[in-house]
Amino acid sequence: IVREIRSPKTVAEVIKAVRDAQSTNKKISLSGIRHSMGGQALGLHTLHLDMTHMDSVRYNDSDQTVTVAPGATWRQVQTALSQHDRAVRVMQDSNIFTVGGALSVNVHGKDPQYGSLIESVTSLKMVTADGKEILCDKTHNTDLFSAVIGGYGLLGIITEVNLRTTHNSSYAFSLIPTQTHALLDTLESLSKNPANRLLEAHLSVDGERFLTESLIYIYAEAPSAAQPKDDLTGENSIWLRKVVFQASRMSNFGKVLRWEIEKSLTPLVEPKTVSRNTAMAVPVRFLQNPDPQTTDILQEYFVPTEQA
């Protein structure tokens, strides 16, 4: 339960909210699309700022960067970049999230040439607790620059970010089944080939082969005479995905079915050639649970490579 919700559209409104909170001794909480895990975005009786109305996106042709407000979604960024044949370097496995939220958790992507999101950031602006907007980069407020990205909003409110982009190339899709004991070596070998631009592995969740079988998704550079059109909806084959995923919730038979379908049907339903923007716009809404009597809990584990 929060005390008040505000939806700032300008930096001036953010500054006013900070100063109002300071004068009344209130704490501030922030949100974008509201999918971040953990309690850092929650607070009892806070002045809550819904940042989704600060969503401007501007492509800078001079240096091929993009200047983005924190409430813009990655889909909005991709839509703007698509017009200039450019693409995002790093983002989550779906484009529904806000840039501000992604910065706050320092997300990673699946391009082996790029690490986490901070590597794509040239500079950012933020409003600090004293109600002033400051610039942070590798020469200005460097301590804050490294701490705010991945800082969960604790150190201030991000109001703008400048991001490097990359070419919106054509990629050929392929799927490689493998045994999990060979997965890391295979991924490492594939990542050394600069043509392999996006890599991701799925592990089996059915009881018979739990975590022992894997599928590697590869998107490799594929120069094409006709550039595939960007599809940024991220919702292809949505009805089939919903049915199969719901079946995997209900029983181990459903999990077996899901794994077998993923292995056999994915190569048939996925386009052979896609743009980078399309390959990064992964379906996610099919995960929504239609049963109001149950709750899904997402668990994430980050395992050091040498211990995996």
Side-chain angles (χ1 to χ4, degrees), residues 246-257:
Q246 183 61 15
S248 75
R249 280 189 175 102
M250 307 302 291
S251 67
N252 191 65
F253 174 77
K255 291 179 174 60
V256 174
L257 178 68

Side-chain angles (χ1 to χ4, degrees), residues 70-82:
T73 64
W74 287 107
R75 181 174 177 177
Q76 288 175 277
V77 176
Q78 287 183 306
T79 300
L81 292 180
S82 178

Side-chain angles (χ1 to χ4, degrees), residues 4 6 17-27 47:
E4 179 186 355
R6 295 190 193 180
V18 170
R19 290 177 176 170
D20 288 349
Q22 194 175 43
S23 65
T24 56
N25 200 29
K26 287 194 184 78
K27 292 181 179 179
L47 170 56

Side-chain angles (χ1 to χ4, degrees), residues 16 27 41 43 60 65 72 80 97-98 105 124 133 140 146 179 200 202 234 238 246 269 276 279 293 305:
K16 185 178 189 306
K27 292 181 179 179
N60 308 303
T65 62
F97 306 105
T98 61
V105 300
L124 62 88
E133 187 183 46
H140 303 87
S146 59
Q179 295 298 305
E200 182 176 7
H202 292 187
I238 187 68
Q246 183 61 15
V269 300
R276 180 185 178 92
Q293 302 302 316
T305 305

